[in-house]
Amino acid sequence: MGNAGGAIAASQVAAERAKAAATPKKADSPTEHPTTVAELKYQGAPSPIPAEGTKILRSPGAPDMTEAEFKQAQQIYFERCAGCHGVLRKGATGKPLTPDITQKKGTEYLKVFINQGSPAGMPSWGKSGELTPEQVDIMARYVQHEPPQPPEFGMKEIKATWSVLVPVSERPKTKQNDYNLDNLFAVTLRDTGEVALIDGDSKKIIDVIKTGYAVHISRMSSSGRYVYTIGRDGKIDLIDLYMAKPAKVATVKVGSRRARSRPRSTTATRTSTRSRAPTGRRSTRSWTARPSSRSRLSRPAA
């Protein structure tokens, strides 16, 4: 505009900026808006997000998300949410989260729900620290989009997760502790992804072991030596009860989600490995710990 290819000196730019700052702007002008000195001096900084990660994904009626945000949300959902709400979000033990439902709720409502959880069993993902405020916001937007197809998790992926923490050759040949394995309890600490082993004779906690998220099944091996646990995230852990202090000796992940299960309104499950059925086979008994000031344990209805 009036500069036929000539160079503009920095001093000229500074002079024009000073002139603009000294000239009042009219708010009713379509091109002249009130401008502060700070705004005139503002200089943009490079974005910390690479350009290739900023592709905007759009679903009708859903808030925008970058490709990076969408991939992050997808990973969180398949690891934390699919076990209850279903891979395609059509509902399982949890309610459906399809766009026709979530878009009516809106982002702010969904953020509060994800952050605080619900008495029906929805974990308080944000309040517990499992998800950051940024991740809560991403998930609130994500569930308003059409669900993507689940990732493949076949034998190749399963084998890649297999980890032998203590080889069989290095495990004890005989029982190295005095625990009564017929009166041992595995108590699920759902929201922390742990299992507490409790000595039924002394009522003392033997150890708290990190496992898959929200363990739904704890089972003794046929030999009575090992405890298998499996979480909603498909992670299986093998715990050796013959060690001086029982600990994990192997782990493997058998899927990116846990299969559909029946509704459960409890916050923790306690499974006893004690007693044998009349047939001579080892049996299990389960109790559920409901939230209360006394943390009372109650046996579920038969």
Side-chain angles (χ1 to χ4, degrees):
M1 301 297 294
N3 178 30
I8 299 177
S11 58
Q12 291 176 279
V13 175
E16 289 301 318
R17 284 184 171 178
K19 186 189 298 182
T23 305
K25 304 297 181 181
K26 301 186 293 294
D28 59 350
S29 168
T31 58
E32 296 181 355
H33 304 287
T35 307
T36 65
V37 173
E39 289 172 327
L40 287 169
K41 290 183 177 179
Y42 172 79
Q43 295 183 19
S47 171
I49 302 175
E52 60 269 20
T54 57
K55 179 181 178 182
I56 302 298
L57 301 177
R58 292 185 174 88
S59 291
D64 290 340
M65 298 185 72
T66 65
E67 186 174 8
E69 288 176 334
F70 196 88
K71 287 182 178 180
Q72 181 184 7
Q74 183 179 2
Q75 185 71 21
I76 292 173
Y77 183 84
F78 279 101
E79 289 184 352
R80 296 297 197 207
C81 315
C84 278
H85 296 286
V87 174
L88 298 177
R89 305 209 300 265
K90 294 183 178 180
T93 59
K95 294 182 178 181
L97 295 173
T98 47
D100 60 308
I101 297 173
T102 55
Q103 289 182 12
K104 292 178 182 177
K105 300 295 185 182
T107 302
E108 293 306 313
Y109 173 93
L110 294 168
K111 284 169 62 175
V112 172
F113 198 80
I114 294 170
N115 187 67
Q116 299 293 334
S118 76
M122 170 81 170
S124 53
W125 294 111
K127 191 175 180 180
S128 66
E130 287 289 328
L131 296 181
T132 65
E134 292 76 16
Q135 289 174 323
V136 169
D137 176 70
I138 288 173
M139 294 307 297
R141 287 181 283 138
Y142 172 78
V143 295
Q144 297 178 68
H145 287 261
E146 291 292 336
Q149 291 298 310
E152 180 181 353
F153 207 92
M155 185 57 68
K156 178 182 178 182
E157 289 76 18
I158 292 174
K159 286 184 175 180
T161 69
W162 181 32
S163 176
V164 179
L165 307 176
V166 181
V168 175
S169 60
E170 297 179 15
R171 298 174 197 172
K173 300 295 187 292
T174 58
K175 190 165 168 282
Q176 302 297 302
N177 58 61
D178 297 325
Y179 300 124
N180 177 10
L181 301 189
D182 282 336
N183 193 19
L184 192 73
F185 294 81
V187 181
T188 295
L189 308 179
R190 186 190 69 177
D191 292 352
T192 61
E194 296 172 316
V195 163
L197 295 180
I198 298 179
D199 181 357
D201 291 345
S202 66
K203 309 302 186 295
K204 293 181 179 180
I205 296 176
I206 297 172
D207 198 11
V208 176
I209 300 173
K210 197 71 178 176
T211 60
Y213 175 72
V215 165
H216 269 36
I217 300 174
S218 296
R219 288 290 183 270
M220 287 284 282
S221 64
S222 59
S223 66
R225 171 171 181 164
Y226 297 101
V227 170
Y228 293 88
T229 67
I230 182 168
R232 285 183 184 172
D233 52 5
K235 186 172 182 287
I236 299 177
D237 291 297
L238 183 64
I239 302 171
D240 189 353
L241 302 178
Y242 274 22
M243 300 175 76
K245 186 176 183 179
K248 286 190 300 184
V249 293
T251 183
V252 67
K253 194 171 183 182
V254 296
S256 58
R257 60 183 177 87
R258 185 182 181 276
R260 177 187 299 243
S261 60
R262 66 183 179 85
R264 186 185 296 269
S265 60
T266 60
T267 58
T269 302
R270 184 169 73 171
T271 303
S272 169
T273 59
R274 64 176 299 187
S275 77
R276 294 182 182 273
T279 59
R281 293 178 299 175
R282 186 174 296 272
S283 64
T284 59
R285 296 190 294 175
S286 298
W287 286 260
T288 55
R290 291 178 170 81
S292 71
S293 58
R294 295 184 178 180
S295 298
R296 300 179 66 183
L297 295 174
S298 60
R299 188 190 297 267

